[in-house]
Every structure is written in C-alpha cells, then in structure tokens.
C-alpha cells in the first residue's frame, strides 16, 4: 500500500511540474529567455569544434566588430554581464590573441577594446555557425513566418529599448507607458 501511495505522489508531482511548465510556456519573458538559452547552448555545441570559442566569446567578437574601440564597461552593458565577468572573459580572449586592449586617449582608467587580425579572420566562420543554428531553430517555419517573426521581435526590441531610454531620461522605471494598439 505504501508503494501505491508513493507512486500516486510521484504521478501528481509530475502532473504539477508539467502544469507549471505549460504556464511558463505562456509567459513571454520565460519563453524569450529559454529560446536564447537554447540557441546559446546549440551554438556552443556547434562552435566548440569549428571555432574553439564559446557563444559568449563570439558575442564579444560580434559587438567589437561593430563597436571598435569601446571600453569594458560599455561592452559589459551591451552583453548584459557584470564588470567582473567581462573582465575575466576579456582576459582569456586577450591571452588567446582574439582582442587587444589599448589605453583610452582621454580616460586613464579605461581601455579601448579592438579585435585582432585572428578575430577578424574568424568572424565569417562564427557567422556560418550562427546561420546554421538559426536554420535549425527556424526549421518548420515558412519564409513568411520567419519574416513575420523577425519583424515582431524587432518591434518588441524597439518597444523595450524606447521604454528603457525614456526611463533613463526620467529616471523612473516603474511608471507604465500608455500605448495605442496597432
């Protein structure tokens, strides 16, 4: 009888866990974060053999390719990581010959970050890996669905970016923004 009670407990627990998972699937933030996590893991898996770089390191390369000469604090903000985490990551990348640090011309405390020739030579391969991960992630979607998904994600990003910009100007994040339905 005890075994039957335990089995019922396990079955009910598993149903509860599945119900919670279904609820999470309906939450925008959870779903977007989970998709990003899975894309990063798949990228890491694919890139491990081709690039000898992680997804985080490739993100550094991508941001520096478009923001040559930025400092660590700005890069940390763009990547949404802590200053200590970016410092460690950049130390490893500098040791590996992927990036260079140079003195900032006007701020003695800051260093400018630049890609090395080795990094530039690797960007195409990193883009190729990323394109493959994108194709795997979007498998089963029609071309129109992919275009719509990308358009909607850009719109969401723009909404959030505008909201954060407005909050920085007013220094108030907790005031809801009134929007009109499109």
């Amino acid at each position: 009888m005890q075994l039957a009670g335990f089995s019922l407990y396990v079955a009910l627990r598993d149903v509860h866990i599945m119900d919670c998972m279904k609820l999470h699937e309906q939450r925008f933030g959870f779903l977007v974060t989970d998709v990003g996590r899975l894309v990063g893991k798949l990228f890491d898996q694919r890139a491990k053999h081709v690039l000898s770089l992680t997804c985080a390191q490739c993100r550094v390369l991508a941001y520096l390719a478009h923001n040559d000469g930025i400092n660590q604090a700005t890069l940390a903000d763009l990547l949404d990581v802590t200053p200590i985490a970016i410092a460690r990551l950049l130390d490893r990348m500098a040791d590996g010959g992927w990036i260079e640090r140079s003195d900032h011309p006007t701020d003695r405390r800051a260093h400018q970050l630049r890609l090395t020739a080795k990094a530039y030579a690797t960007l195409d391969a990193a883009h190729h890996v990323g394109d493959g991960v994108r194709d795997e992630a979007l498998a089963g979607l029609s071309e129109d669905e992919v275009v719509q998904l990308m358009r909607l994600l850009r719109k969401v990003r723009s909404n959030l970016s505008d909201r954060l910009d407005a909050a920085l100007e007013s220094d108030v994040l907790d005031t809801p923004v009134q929007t009109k339905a499109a």
Side-chain angles (χ1 to χ4, degrees):
M1 191 62 172
Q2 245 181 347
L3 184 57
F6 180 73
S7 296
L8 179 60
Y9 165 77
V10 170
L12 290 174
R13 183 200 65 199
D14 289 348
V15 167
H16 175 72
I17 290 170
M18 293 305 294
D19 286 345
C20 288
M21 291 297 286
K22 288 176 188 172
L23 288 174
H24 287 319
E25 291 293 319
Q26 301 302 315
R27 306 293 302 174
F28 172 78
F30 177 83
L31 188 57
V32 168
T33 301
D34 203 37
V35 167
R37 178 186 65 81
L38 292 169
V39 165
K41 283 186 144 207
L42 191 57
F43 186 96
D44 278 341
Q45 186 182 66
R46 301 292 188 264
K48 177 177 18 178
H49 304 292
V50 177
L51 304 172
S52 300
L53 292 169
T54 66
C55 184
Q57 290 170 321
C58 286
R59 288 182 68 215
V60 167
L61 296 184
Y63 274 102
L64 290 180
H66 295 288
N67 299 282
D68 185 55
I70 63 173
N71 63 35
Q72 281 185 207
T74 302
L75 183 61
D77 188 51
L78 288 170
L79 294 172
D80 196 27
V81 297
T82 63
I84 191 70
I86 197 68
R88 289 179 181 147
L89 180 61
L90 293 175
D91 287 344
R92 287 192 304 274
M93 293 183 76
D95 291 345
W98 299 101
I99 63 155
E100 296 173 339
R101 292 177 170 125
S102 60
D103 292 336
H104 192 280
T106 59
D107 186 351
R108 293 183 325 159
R109 300 166 297 161
H111 291 95
Q112 292 180 305
L113 302 170
R114 290 198 164 68
L115 297 179
T116 62
K118 176 182 177 179
Y120 278 111
T122 304
L123 284 174
D124 282 340
H127 286 132
H128 183 72
V129 171
D131 291 346
V133 170
R134 177 206 57 217
D135 293 346
E136 290 180 75
L138 300 176
L141 298 180
S142 71
E143 188 175 327
D144 288 342
E145 289 172 322
V146 170
V147 168
Q148 182 180 18
L149 174 63
M150 297 302 287
R151 182 182 56 76
L152 292 171
L153 286 172
R154 281 191 294 273
K155 189 172 187 175
V156 168
R157 181 181 61 192
S158 178
N159 288 345
L160 295 171
S161 182
D162 290 349
R163 180 66 181 125
L164 285 171
D165 289 346
L168 288 174
E169 288 176 16
S170 68
D171 202 36
V172 178
L173 263 178
D174 56 355
T175 306
V177 172
Q178 297 295 325
T179 58
K180 295 180 183 176

